[in-house]
Each structure stands twice: as structure tokens, then as C-alpha cells.
Amino acid sequence: MIIENFEHLLTKYAELITKVGVNVQPGQTIILYSDVHTAHLAELISSSAYALGANEVIVKWSDAPVQRDFLEHTSDQRLETHYEFEKKAAEELMAKRASRISLISQAPDAFAGIDPKRLQMYQTTYSKVKQPVTKATMNNDISWLVVAAASPEWAKIVFPDLETDDALTKLWQAIFTICRVDQPDPVAAWKNHINFLTERAEWLNNYQFDALHYHSPKTDLFVGLPKDHHWEGAGSHDGSGNFFVPNIPTEEVFTAPDFKRIDGTVSSTLPLSYNGQIIEGLTLTFKNGQITNATADEGEELLNHLIQTDNGSKSLGEVALVPEDSPIATAKTIFYNTLFDENASDHLAIGAGYPFSIKNGTSMSRADLQKAGLNDSTVHVDFMVGSSDMNINGITKDGEAIPIMKNGIWA
């Protein structure tokens, strides 16, 4: 791999992750999820976190081939059984408000060919283990970040016509550019970007639309919005009041829909990587907030297993707006990675909504949140629906249509 000043750029990336991403504070515990093949970046992140005053950095390693062997060969009983000590560890770490960094690099088809039913069995079981982490994350009790690292397997899928080393180089270059790491001062560049997205969110919050209408040649969908919903862009504040940016990169402004008021049909515009398999060309039909029909050109069985996870997986938990002129969209590259592809396109999420998407939602009970229209589920899976011919209008309580997106661009 040949990238000029690669080590310098990787170090700047680690600093961006710790300073802007989770915004490490003195005395904090940091949990870092990393593949064994991205160990060097994990080391740089750890060093940067300690330099900022972290008390400890706990690294949880993974290895896709080992995980694949487990998923292929273990018994159904094991797939449906979790270890209680894992859940207790999660509870203890969340009680300490440990910050989370998820460093993703796995190939999007790492688990291709594995029975989707077994994948969903494991996903359902594992959701019980990480329930304390999921709850703390969804409430923004902790600072958390999802960020990517290039791997040879992922690079070859994104750039299949290149030799592995060249593909890996090109993927790292794309990550550095899209994440603004190649700019003279990435931290300052991100502060400007955060301000831009915050302005968009404030404009939407001031309108307090009753609903959104998505319309394109492939989509005609009305999505109701809850009373006192809250749009957010780029960053959030955790339970201690510290500002953090949960996704790097991010180009979105998002909120939660009223899961009881969704009607129409929506089609995806980019592939979705879920559970190490690809779902492509999906179309969902909604009536009174529930998915009544789901099809896909590829991965339809996996899609239907996802929708059948629980009651909440039959509706939506997030609506996110992303312009077609975002840096990722203009790159004209399909990354087969939701972190990147969702920032190239308007997207929706099957499953849970974020409580902070409703005013005072983080202090409300689950029952009150559902009454307010927030969806509850053990899953949250984004899929991309935006395009250059997508128009999105905000519908006021009086029925007036206000353009938000015209032909995929902010109106």
C-alpha cells in the first residue's frame, strides 16, 4: 500500500475519533470494538485516548473467519442461548457511562452463504446480551461512535477491478477524504461541518412538520412525525453533557417518525449490508405504520427474517435527510457499508427510534414513548432510499406542502 504520509494521516484519524467522535474526557472508560486486522489503528486510538486523560481503554477483538466458523458449526441451542456474565459486564460498563468506539472493517458479505435463519437466531440472542448497551446508546446516556477502517476483503468488494493492494490504498484514500482527515486541520473542518448540519436541523425543528411526503418514480410514501419531535444533525450531548459525534462520516439530519402513521411504498436505491449478507432492490409497503409487504431482488429471505424479529421490526424508527451533493454521494462509489452509503442518500431505519428524537424522550417510560409515536424494537437497520429524482415535502398541520428536498438537494 502506497499512501504518502499514511502513518501521519492514520494518527490524525485516531485523534479525530477521540477528540471529535467520542470526545474523550479525563477519567473515562473507553470500550473499543476492533477486528484483529485493524490492530494498528486500534493502538493509535488507544494512545490518543490515554493522552486525553482516559482512565482505561478496553479493547474487544473480533475476527470474521472465526465468527463465521462459529455461526456455521455451533448448535441451534447455543445460537439461542447467551451467557449471563456478558450481560452483567455490559450493565456494569454502562453504569460507569463507558464510551463506545465501534471500528468497523468487516467485508459486507463476510457471512454470505450462512443460513439467514441461523444468523437471525444469533442476532436475536445477542441483542439480549447488549440490551444495556443498546439502551444507553439509544438514550445518549453515553458518548458513542461508529467509524471505519479499510480491510483487503472490504476493499476488493468496493473496487473489484483493482489488485488487492491497489484497492486497499484507494479505500483508505476515500476514507481519509470523506472523513476530512486529509485537510490541514480535521478537527476545525469538522466543527464547521457540524455547524452546517445544525443549521439545517434547527430550520426543520422550527417548522415542526406533521408529516413528510417522499416522492420519486420508485417511491410514494407518507411518514407522520410525532408531536414535539426533534431533528438532530452531526452531534449530540451525552448524559454528562459532553458533545460527541456518533458517526464519522456523517452528512445527515434525522429524527424519528410516528410509527403508527406511515403509509405507501418505498424502494431502496443502494444495497444494504446486514448480518454479513447483501440485501438489494428491497421494496416495502406500509399501511397504518406496519409493513404489509416486503420484497427484494437479492436477500429477500434475510429481509423477511429481519422484519419478523419482533413487533417493532415491522415499522420504522428513523427518517434521515442527506443531499445528493454530499461528498460521499458525489464520489459515485457504492461502499456496501451502511455507515458510508447512508451518508450518500436519504435513508430510513427499520426498527427502534431514538428517545432523544422526542422532546424530553430520554426521561419518558417505554410505554409513554410508544404512546407518543416512538417505535420500540431490538433492531435498528438503515436502508437507503434517496436519489437525484427524489422530492421530499414537509406537510404542515394545515396541510401545506413545504419543499425540503428537490431532486435530491436541499431546497
Side-chain angles (χ1 to χ4, degrees):
M1 182 170 58
I2 302 173
I3 297 180
E4 187 177 355
N5 297 324
F6 177 74
E7 190 67 19
H8 175 65
L9 289 169
L10 204 63
T11 301
K12 288 172 69 176
Y13 193 32
E15 291 173 353
L16 179 67
I17 288 166
T18 53
K19 291 180 179 179
V20 174
V22 290
N23 187 14
V24 175
Q25 299 297 306
Q28 269 193 317
T29 292
I30 309 296
I31 311 167
L32 173 58
Y33 302 90
S34 172
D35 189 276
V36 293
H37 301 295
T38 55
H40 183 50
L41 178 55
E43 291 164 358
L44 292 175
I45 293 169
S46 176
S47 295
S48 182
Y50 281 123
L52 292 169
N55 188 48
E56 61 177 335
V57 178
I58 300 170
V59 183
K60 293 187 174 292
W61 300 104
S62 61
D63 184 286
V66 171
Q67 182 69 3
R68 184 183 178 91
D69 282 343
F70 168 75
L71 291 168
E72 284 184 324
H73 300 294
T74 194
S75 64
D76 286 357
Q77 181 183 10
R78 173 63 185 93
L79 288 174
E80 295 180 313
T81 307
H82 70 274
Y83 289 111
E84 195 62 28
F85 77 84
E86 292 181 308
K87 187 173 182 179
K88 289 181 178 178
E91 290 171 346
E92 187 174 355
L93 288 167
M94 292 304 99
K96 296 178 67 173
R97 286 189 170 169
S99 293
R100 297 176 54 231
I101 301 172
S102 297
L103 184 59
I104 59 174
S105 59
Q106 181 177 289
D109 63 349
F111 303 137
I114 294 178
D115 184 351
K117 182 179 178 181
R118 287 175 63 81
L119 280 171
Q120 196 59 41
M121 287 167 62
Y122 176 73
Q123 185 70 22
T124 301
T125 301
Y126 188 61
S127 69
K128 298 173 184 176
V129 172
K130 64 178 185 177
Q131 194 275 334
V133 177
T134 301
K135 181 180 179 181
T137 300
M138 299 296 279
N139 279 342
N140 278 350
D141 294 334
I142 61 169
S143 61
W144 55 278
L145 170 67
V146 182
V147 70
S151 68
E153 295 79 13
W154 177 24
K156 277 295 290 179
I157 288 175
V158 179
F159 304 111
D161 296 333
L162 298 179
E163 295 296 328
T164 300
D165 284 350
D166 293 335
L168 185 60
T169 296
K170 192 165 184 177
L171 183 54
W172 268 121
Q173 288 172 331
I175 290 172
F176 289 149
T177 298
I178 290 167
C179 295
R180 298 171 170 82
V181 177
D182 59 355
Q183 298 195 19
D185 187 343
V187 173
W190 268 90
K191 287 181 179 179
N192 291 333
H193 183 51
I194 289 165
N195 289 337
F196 172 81
L197 292 176
T198 300
E199 289 175 1
R200 295 294 182 274
E202 288 176 351
W203 182 84
L204 289 161
N205 283 325
N206 288 336
Y207 261 105
Q208 280 294 296
F209 291 115
D210 180 62
L212 301 176
H213 179 207
Y214 291 72
H215 189 267
S216 76
K218 298 174 64 177
T219 290
D220 189 4
L221 185 73
F222 283 89
V223 178
L225 298 176
K227 181 183 178 182
D228 293 327
H229 63 272
H230 176 73
W231 290 91
E232 192 159 294
S236 305
H237 289 87
D238 66 16
S240 299
N242 299 313
F243 186 82
F244 69 100
V245 177
N247 287 347
I248 293 180
T250 184
E251 304 289 338
E252 69 178 311
V253 177
F254 69 95
T255 190
D258 181 341
F259 78 94
K260 296 169 288 187
R261 296 193 297 131
I262 306 170
D263 292 278
T265 299
V266 61
S267 295
S268 67
T269 51
L270 290 171
L272 164 64
S273 175
Y274 174 65
N275 269 355
Q277 297 189 9
I278 301 295
I279 301 173
E280 193 162 5
L282 72 87
T283 298
L284 303 178
T285 301
F286 291 83
K287 185 176 181 179
N288 297 327
Q290 296 290 292
I291 297 172
T292 58
N293 190 52
T295 62
D297 296 334
E298 178 182 346
E300 185 171 310
E301 184 181 359
L302 181 61
L303 172 64
N304 280 286
H305 279 301
L306 165 62
I307 292 168
Q308 296 302 321
T309 301
D310 52 34
N311 288 331
S313 60
K314 299 175 180 66
S315 192
L316 300 177
E318 181 185 334
V319 292
L321 306 177
V322 180
E324 289 292 306
D325 58 356
S326 76
I328 302 177
T330 55
K332 302 297 182 185
T333 300
I334 298 176
F335 288 92
Y336 299 93
N337 180 300
T338 302
L339 175 64
F340 284 79
D341 291 336
E342 74 172 8
N343 286 297
S345 172
D346 299 311
H347 54 274
L348 305 169
I350 294 170
Y354 294 101
F356 57 79
S357 293
I358 295 179
K359 184 179 179 181
N360 300 321
T362 56
S363 60
M364 295 167 66
S365 68
R366 179 179 292 184
D368 285 341
L369 284 168
Q370 284 192 292
K371 186 177 179 181
L374 191 81
N375 197 29
D376 184 31
S377 176
T378 57
V379 298
H380 179 98
V381 180
D382 297 296
F383 64 100
M384 287 58 74
V385 301
S387 62
S388 60
D389 51 13
M390 171 69 78
N391 294 306
I392 303 174
N393 289 334
I395 310 300
T396 69
K397 290 179 176 60
D398 296 329
E400 183 182 2
I402 306 293
I404 298 174
M405 294 291 217
K406 283 185 176 181
N407 295 322
I409 307 296
W410 287 109

